[in-house]
Amino acid sequence: MSVRVMNRLDAVEKAFDDSARFAMEATATRLVKRLQENFFNHYTSGAFRDTLKVRSAIGRSEPERVGPMEWNARVGIIKGEPLPDPKPEQDKRYGVGEIALLWELGHYNIYMRRYVRVPIWAPTARASAQDLRDTFVRVLKRYLAQVPDVATRTV
C-alpha cells in the first residue's frame, strides 16, 4: 500500500488572496452603486449644474494590496477631476471632487445667501455598512468554495 501526500498550501494561499481581492472589488462596486442611487443627481434644487456632475464622477479604484491577504479599494471622486464644459467666466480652480467636498462639509453659498451643508457620502456609507459586509462575505464564500484542499492523500 502506498500513500502519496501532496502539499497544496501555495495554491490555497493564492486562492484565499484572490478571494479577498474579488470580495473587496465587489464591495467597493456596491458602495459606488449605493452612492449613485442616493445622490439624486444634485445637492439641492439642481439649479447649479456643477453639482449635477458629481453622480457620474463617483467611482472606485482597483483593489490595492496593503498586506498579506489584505486589500484596500477607494471609493470617491478622483482629485482634480475637471468639470466638463466649464463656463468661460467660471473659476476653474475647483473640480468635481472639490465641489462635492464643499457640499458635504458645508459652505456659505453666495447664490443662496446662506450656509448650506448636504451630507450624502457619510450617511450613505453608514447606512450601507451591513449590506457591504454581507456583500463581502457572500463573494468571499463563493470564491472560497473553489479553494483546493490543503493536502490530499491517495491510497
Side-chain angles (χ1 to χ4, degrees), residues 3 5 8 11 21 31 33-34 39 47-48 54 61 64-65 76 81-82 84 87 89 91-92 95 106 108 133 136:
V3 175
V5 176
R8 296 184 179 168
R21 181 173 53 87
L31 180 56
K33 184 178 177 185
R34 291 293 297 264
F39 198 79
F48 307 106
V54 175
S61 69
E64 301 170 6
R65 181 183 300 281
E81 178 85 13
K87 301 173 201 169
E89 71 278 2
D91 188 352
K92 294 182 177 118
Y108 185 83
R133 279 192 289 273
F136 186 88

Side-chain angles (χ1 to χ4, degrees), residues 6-147:
M6 296 176 59
N7 183 353
R8 296 184 179 168
L9 190 57
D10 292 338
V12 170
E13 285 179 354
K14 182 181 180 334
F16 272 107
D17 195 44
D18 289 345
S19 300
R21 181 173 53 87
F22 292 138
M24 179 56 65
E25 189 172 332
T27 304
T29 301
R30 181 70 181 135
L31 180 56
V32 167
K33 184 178 177 185
R34 291 293 297 264
L35 282 165
Q36 290 173 341
E37 287 170 357
N38 290 343
F39 198 79
F40 302 115
N41 292 331
H42 56 276
Y43 277 106
T44 56
S45 66
F48 307 106
R49 76 177 186 93
D50 297 341
T51 62
L52 300 175
K53 309 299 182 193
V54 175
R55 181 178 184 182
S56 62
I58 297 171
R60 67 166 177 81
S61 69
E62 289 297 317
E64 301 170 6
R65 181 183 300 281
V66 293
M69 289 190 246
E70 293 181 32
W71 294 87
N72 185 28
R74 295 186 179 104
V75 173
I77 297 172
I78 297 171
K79 182 173 173 44
E81 178 85 13
L83 291 170
D85 307 325
K87 301 173 201 169
E89 71 278 2
Q90 184 179 26
D91 188 352
K92 294 182 177 118
R93 292 179 300 168
Y94 300 111
V96 177
E98 288 82 2
I99 289 172
L101 185 63
L102 288 171
W103 281 97
E104 189 74 20
L105 300 177
H107 66 285
Y108 185 83
N109 190 298
I110 60 173
Y111 300 105
M112 299 172 79
R113 295 190 180 109
R114 64 183 171 93
Y115 179 82
V116 289
R117 179 174 185 256
V118 184
I120 294 174
W121 295 73
T124 299
R126 280 193 299 272
S128 303
Q130 186 61 45
D131 180 43
L132 297 175
R133 279 192 289 273
D134 293 345
T135 299
F136 186 88
V137 170
R138 186 180 68 249
V139 173
L140 189 66
K141 283 182 179 179
R142 182 175 19 175
Y143 281 97
L144 289 180
Q146 302 167 10
V147 172

